[in-house]
Short mmCIF file of all heavy atoms in Angstrom, two decimals:
data_model
loop_
_atom_site.label_atom_id
_atom_site.label_comp_id
_atom_site.label_asym_id
_atom_site.label_seq_id
_atom_site.Cartn_x
_atom_site.Cartn_y
_atom_site.Cartn_z
N ALA A 717 0.52 2.32 5.91
CA ALA A 717 -0.84 1.72 5.85
C ALA A 717 -1.80 2.59 6.60
O ALA A 717 -2.82 2.10 6.93
CB ALA A 717 -0.79 0.40 6.35
N GLN A 718 -1.41 3.88 7.03
CA GLN A 718 -2.29 4.64 7.76
C GLN A 718 -2.49 6.03 7.09
O GLN A 718 -1.66 6.47 6.25
CB GLN A 718 -1.70 4.82 9.09
CG GLN A 718 -1.60 3.51 9.78
CD GLN A 718 -1.55 3.63 11.40
OE1 GLN A 718 -0.76 4.53 11.83
NE2 GLN A 718 -2.32 2.89 12.00
N VAL A 719 -3.60 6.66 7.43
CA VAL A 719 -3.87 8.09 6.94
C VAL A 719 -4.09 8.87 8.21
O VAL A 719 -4.42 8.34 9.21
CB VAL A 719 -5.08 8.18 6.07
CG1 VAL A 719 -4.87 7.45 4.77
CG2 VAL A 719 -6.35 7.73 6.67
N ALA A 721 -5.97 10.96 10.93
CA ALA A 721 -7.37 10.75 11.34
C ALA A 721 -8.27 12.01 11.09
O ALA A 721 -9.52 12.01 11.20
CB ALA A 721 -7.35 10.42 12.84
N TYR A 728 -15.77 13.18 6.21
CA TYR A 728 -17.01 13.54 5.38
C TYR A 728 -17.20 12.60 4.07
O TYR A 728 -18.11 12.86 3.38
CB TYR A 728 -16.94 14.92 4.88
CG TYR A 728 -16.67 15.89 5.99
CD1 TYR A 728 -15.67 16.88 5.93
CD2 TYR A 728 -17.61 15.95 7.17
CE1 TYR A 728 -15.43 17.85 6.88
CE2 TYR A 728 -17.27 16.82 8.14
CZ TYR A 728 -16.24 17.79 8.07
OH TYR A 728 -16.02 18.82 9.03
N TYR A 799 -17.17 22.02 7.40
CA TYR A 799 -17.38 21.50 6.10
C TYR A 799 -16.67 22.25 4.94
O TYR A 799 -16.41 21.74 3.94
CB TYR A 799 -18.90 21.51 5.77
CG TYR A 799 -19.76 20.53 6.66
CD1 TYR A 799 -20.81 20.98 7.44
CD2 TYR A 799 -19.44 19.19 6.62
CE1 TYR A 799 -21.47 20.06 8.16
CE2 TYR A 799 -20.17 18.17 7.38
CZ TYR A 799 -21.27 18.77 8.18
OH TYR A 799 -21.96 17.89 8.94
N ARG A 836 -33.52 1.62 -0.79
CA ARG A 836 -33.72 2.47 -2.01
C ARG A 836 -32.59 3.40 -2.09
O ARG A 836 -32.27 4.11 -1.04
CB ARG A 836 -35.01 3.23 -2.10
CG ARG A 836 -36.25 2.33 -2.03
CD ARG A 836 -36.39 1.50 -3.28
NE ARG A 836 -37.58 0.61 -3.25
CZ ARG A 836 -38.69 0.88 -3.77
NH1 ARG A 836 -38.86 2.10 -4.39
NH2 ARG A 836 -39.67 0.02 -3.69
N ALA A 839 -31.54 9.94 -3.83
CA ALA A 839 -31.64 10.72 -4.98
C ALA A 839 -30.79 11.93 -4.83
O ALA A 839 -30.93 12.68 -4.01
CB ALA A 839 -33.10 11.12 -5.17
N GLN A 840 -29.75 12.01 -5.84
CA GLN A 840 -28.95 13.07 -5.81
C GLN A 840 -28.36 13.32 -7.28
O GLN A 840 -27.13 12.77 -7.51
CB GLN A 840 -27.87 13.01 -4.84
CG GLN A 840 -26.83 14.19 -4.67
CD GLN A 840 -27.41 15.56 -4.68
OE1 GLN A 840 -27.92 16.05 -5.57
NE2 GLN A 840 -27.48 16.18 -3.49
N PRO A 841 -29.00 14.05 -8.04
CA PRO A 841 -28.45 14.26 -9.45
C PRO A 841 -27.11 14.80 -9.44
O PRO A 841 -26.29 14.51 -10.41
CB PRO A 841 -29.53 15.18 -10.02
CG PRO A 841 -30.77 15.09 -9.11
CD PRO A 841 -30.34 14.73 -7.96
N LEU A 849 -16.88 8.74 -2.26
CA LEU A 849 -16.79 7.93 -1.01
C LEU A 849 -17.98 7.85 -0.07
O LEU A 849 -17.94 7.27 0.93
CB LEU A 849 -15.51 8.53 -0.13
CG LEU A 849 -14.10 8.37 -0.94
CD1 LEU A 849 -13.08 8.92 0.02
CD2 LEU A 849 -13.75 6.89 -1.07
N ASN A 850 -19.07 8.44 -0.47
CA ASN A 850 -20.35 8.35 0.36
C ASN A 850 -21.04 7.21 -0.21
O ASN A 850 -21.93 7.19 -1.01
CB ASN A 850 -21.06 9.64 0.09
CG ASN A 850 -20.64 10.89 0.85
OD1 ASN A 850 -21.41 11.87 1.07
ND2 ASN A 850 -19.35 10.93 1.28
N ARG A 851 -20.79 6.06 0.57
CA ARG A 851 -21.30 4.81 0.04
C ARG A 851 -22.19 4.05 1.03
O ARG A 851 -22.30 2.78 1.02
CB ARG A 851 -20.13 3.87 -0.44
CG ARG A 851 -19.45 4.44 -1.73
CD ARG A 851 -20.46 4.30 -2.89
NE ARG A 851 -20.08 5.20 -3.96
CZ ARG A 851 -20.97 5.71 -4.85
NH1 ARG A 851 -22.22 5.53 -4.62
NH2 ARG A 851 -20.53 6.66 -5.74
N LEU A 852 -22.84 4.76 2.00
CA LEU A 852 -23.69 4.09 2.95
C LEU A 852 -24.82 3.40 2.23
O LEU A 852 -25.30 2.23 2.72
CB LEU A 852 -24.24 5.04 3.93
CG LEU A 852 -23.24 5.33 5.08
CD1 LEU A 852 -23.79 6.44 6.00
CD2 LEU A 852 -23.06 4.07 5.93
N ASP A 853 -25.24 3.90 1.26
CA ASP A 853 -26.36 3.17 0.37
C ASP A 853 -25.92 1.81 0.02
O ASP A 853 -26.70 0.82 0.21
CB ASP A 853 -26.64 3.99 -0.95
CG ASP A 853 -27.67 5.16 -0.76
OD1 ASP A 853 -28.40 5.15 0.19
OD2 ASP A 853 -27.66 5.95 -1.72
N ALA B 1144 -2.50 9.76 16.07
CA ALA B 1144 -3.28 10.70 15.14
C ALA B 1144 -3.61 10.18 13.85
O ALA B 1144 -3.95 10.87 12.84
CB ALA B 1144 -2.50 11.99 15.06
N GLN B 1145 -3.58 8.73 13.70
CA GLN B 1145 -3.74 8.23 12.45
C GLN B 1145 -4.73 7.06 12.57
O GLN B 1145 -4.86 6.50 13.66
CB GLN B 1145 -2.51 7.62 11.88
CG GLN B 1145 -1.45 8.73 11.68
CD GLN B 1145 -0.38 8.39 10.64
OE1 GLN B 1145 0.21 7.32 10.82
NE2 GLN B 1145 -0.10 9.31 9.78
N VAL B 1146 -5.33 6.62 11.47
CA VAL B 1146 -6.17 5.49 11.49
C VAL B 1146 -5.67 4.64 10.31
O VAL B 1146 -4.98 5.04 9.34
CB VAL B 1146 -7.76 5.74 11.27
CG1 VAL B 1146 -8.33 6.57 12.35
CG2 VAL B 1146 -7.96 6.55 9.86
N ALA B 1148 -5.63 2.81 6.89
CA ALA B 1148 -6.09 3.28 5.55
C ALA B 1148 -7.21 2.48 5.03
O ALA B 1148 -7.86 2.87 3.99
CB ALA B 1148 -4.95 3.50 4.55
N TYR B 1155 -15.89 4.20 2.78
CA TYR B 1155 -17.34 4.26 2.47
C TYR B 1155 -18.10 5.38 3.25
O TYR B 1155 -19.31 5.49 3.07
CB TYR B 1155 -18.00 3.00 2.61
CG TYR B 1155 -17.44 1.82 1.93
CD1 TYR B 1155 -17.08 0.59 2.56
CD2 TYR B 1155 -17.03 1.93 0.52
CE1 TYR B 1155 -16.52 -0.48 1.85
CE2 TYR B 1155 -16.52 0.75 -0.15
CZ TYR B 1155 -16.24 -0.31 0.58
OH TYR B 1155 -15.61 -1.32 -0.10
N ARG B 1263 -28.90 21.12 -3.69
CA ARG B 1263 -30.07 20.51 -3.07
C ARG B 1263 -29.63 19.27 -2.36
O ARG B 1263 -28.84 18.38 -2.97
CB ARG B 1263 -31.10 20.23 -4.15
CG ARG B 1263 -31.65 21.29 -4.90
CD ARG B 1263 -32.43 22.33 -3.97
NE ARG B 1263 -32.88 23.56 -4.70
CZ ARG B 1263 -34.00 23.56 -5.25
NH1 ARG B 1263 -34.93 22.66 -5.18
NH2 ARG B 1263 -34.45 24.76 -5.92
N ALA B 1266 -32.00 13.05 -1.20
CA ALA B 1266 -33.26 12.51 -0.59
C ALA B 1266 -32.93 11.03 -0.25
O ALA B 1266 -32.64 10.22 -1.06
CB ALA B 1266 -34.44 12.50 -1.66
N GLN B 1267 -33.12 10.80 1.08
CA GLN B 1267 -32.83 9.43 1.65
C GLN B 1267 -33.39 9.26 2.92
O GLN B 1267 -32.86 9.55 3.96
CB GLN B 1267 -31.31 9.16 1.71
CG GLN B 1267 -30.86 7.79 2.13
CD GLN B 1267 -31.67 6.60 1.52
OE1 GLN B 1267 -32.89 6.45 1.84
NE2 GLN B 1267 -31.11 5.94 0.63
N LEU B 1276 -21.31 9.69 8.24
CA LEU B 1276 -20.11 10.37 7.66
C LEU B 1276 -20.19 10.53 6.18
O LEU B 1276 -19.30 10.97 5.58
CB LEU B 1276 -18.94 9.34 7.94
CG LEU B 1276 -18.54 9.20 9.38
CD1 LEU B 1276 -17.45 8.14 9.47
CD2 LEU B 1276 -17.95 10.50 10.02
N ASN B 1277 -21.40 10.44 5.59
CA ASN B 1277 -21.60 10.71 4.18
C ASN B 1277 -22.03 12.16 4.03
O ASN B 1277 -23.16 12.46 3.95
CB ASN B 1277 -22.63 9.72 3.48
CG ASN B 1277 -22.13 8.38 3.18
OD1 ASN B 1277 -22.72 7.63 2.42
ND2 ASN B 1277 -21.00 7.98 3.84
N ARG B 1278 -21.01 13.06 3.91
CA ARG B 1278 -21.32 14.46 4.11
C ARG B 1278 -20.98 15.32 2.80
O ARG B 1278 -20.73 16.54 3.03
CB ARG B 1278 -20.74 15.12 5.33
CG ARG B 1278 -21.38 14.49 6.61
CD ARG B 1278 -22.85 14.98 6.77
NE ARG B 1278 -23.58 14.09 7.64
CZ ARG B 1278 -24.89 14.00 7.52
NH1 ARG B 1278 -25.58 14.64 6.60
NH2 ARG B 1278 -25.64 13.14 8.30
N LEU B 1279 -20.87 14.67 1.73
CA LEU B 1279 -20.64 15.44 0.50
C LEU B 1279 -21.65 16.60 0.26
O LEU B 1279 -21.34 17.72 -0.18
CB LEU B 1279 -20.41 14.52 -0.66
CG LEU B 1279 -19.15 13.86 -0.91
CD1 LEU B 1279 -19.09 12.89 -1.98
CD2 LEU B 1279 -18.04 14.89 -1.19
N ASP B 1280 -22.92 16.34 0.66
CA ASP B 1280 -23.90 17.41 0.42
C ASP B 1280 -23.49 18.66 1.10
O ASP B 1280 -23.49 19.75 0.61
CB ASP B 1280 -25.19 16.86 1.14
CG ASP B 1280 -26.07 16.12 0.13
OD1 ASP B 1280 -25.96 16.22 -1.10
OD2 ASP B 1280 -27.00 15.37 0.59
N GLN B 1301 -34.59 17.95 -2.53
CA GLN B 1301 -34.78 17.82 -4.01
C GLN B 1301 -36.11 18.39 -4.43
O GLN B 1301 -36.38 18.73 -5.62
CB GLN B 1301 -34.76 16.36 -4.35
CG GLN B 1301 -33.39 15.73 -4.13
CD GLN B 1301 -32.39 16.20 -5.07
OE1 GLN B 1301 -32.54 16.30 -6.32
NE2 GLN B 1301 -31.13 16.50 -4.51
N THR B 1309 -25.99 24.61 6.47
CA THR B 1309 -24.97 23.66 6.22
C THR B 1309 -24.47 22.93 7.41
O THR B 1309 -24.12 21.84 7.40
CB THR B 1309 -23.81 24.22 5.33
OG1 THR B 1309 -23.14 25.08 6.22
CG2 THR B 1309 -24.17 24.92 4.18
#
Side-chain angles (χ1 to χ4, degrees):
Chain A
Q718 300 202 309
V719 297
Y728 307 127
Y799 293 122
R836 300 297 179 94
Q840 180 48 285
L849 295 174
N850 280 199
R851 291 291 158 213
L852 277 172
D853 273 340
Chain B
Q1145 299 202 309
V1146 297
Y1155 306 128
R1263 301 295 178 95
Q1267 179 50 284
L1276 295 174
N1277 279 200
R1278 292 291 156 212
L1279 277 171
D1280 273 340
Q1301 297 291 317
T1309 67

